[in-house]
Amino acid sequence: MAIGVFDSGLGGLTIHRALIDRFPDADFVFLGDQAKVPYGGRTGEEIVELTKAGCVTLFEQGCSVAVLACNTAASIALRRLQQTWLPGYRKALGRPVNVLGLIVPTIEAATGLPWEHEAERRGDKVEKLDILAVFSTPATAASRVYEIEIDKRRQDVAVFSQPCPELAGRIEAGAPREELAAAIQSHVKAITTGIGRSPDRAILGCTHYEIVADLFRAALPPDTPLIHQPEATAGALARYLERHAEYDPGHAGARRFLTTGRPGVQSSLVEAFWGTPLSFERA
Ligand code: DGL
């Protein structure tokens, strides 16, 4: 068996790398749906169907779990697939498989609380509001998942989302860094204007953005910490696999990279991030 990692495109590699660091002996299959990227401007129905198709491909390749390394897929499709599709699919397949996401670990990291914790609503006066900025695709921002889930747990944290249309697509296309830096600066400026001051912390709520995390770092004030999804997701998967021995992650250290798009080598932006050229097989 293997650990499957799914994204609309190459952003999921940022999560994938943290998972490889955490589980060096496990077998991995990465799938980027590059024929359909970006997901961020698509309808909910499309995102659910495309995510389901990606999970099926990973399970057919022998994966026991499919990690949705994509905020857009996880915020729109994960709960729906777990509730309506996965039980029947698992039964038909005749072996245990599961689909996991990255929103829960990110919210745990942002709140410092376990997912099960829900705050008592006591209406106490909040002395100091912690302002959390979330940069994401339009679809993730429209889902309001970060606002809703963080508000259930922490009354002293106010979430402001900044949709960044086109940004994931431009990163995927390997756009020049100067162009990406200018776009990121304008999104940071927009959210700062909306809040009325700089955020206290920020989440890069689209896995593509981690590829250019240094550009977000440079655009934000130096004392605004970034909450990184890759580390949070790897930690959560380690805890999950400890509790669920039925999901065997494999032990041969095999790595496969699949794409629904054009196979071969990816952009120099991705190569610089990954450290070596990465060649993809056709899914
Ligand atoms: N990398 C994805 C995310 O985390 C999706 C980007 C896109 O396809 O628009 O949201």
Side-chain angles (χ1 to χ4, degrees), residues 5 15 20 46 76 109 121 155 164 189 192 203 238 251 264:
V5 182
I15 305 290
I20 289 177
E46 283 177 312
I76 310 289
R121 299 254 143 220
Q155 281 174 280
C164 309
K189 191 161 173 231
T192 306
I203 293 176
H251 308 279

Side-chain angles (χ1 to χ4, degrees), residues 7-12 36-41 69-75 102 136-140 168-169 172 204-209 229:
D7 183 32
S8 58
L10 301 170
K36 298 287 164 44
V37 71
Y39 281 12
C70 174
N71 287 264
T72 309
S75 61
L102 75 186
S136 73
T137 65
T140 301
E172 181 79 21
L204 301 188
C206 168
T207 53
H208 280 73
Y209 303 169
Q229 296 192 309

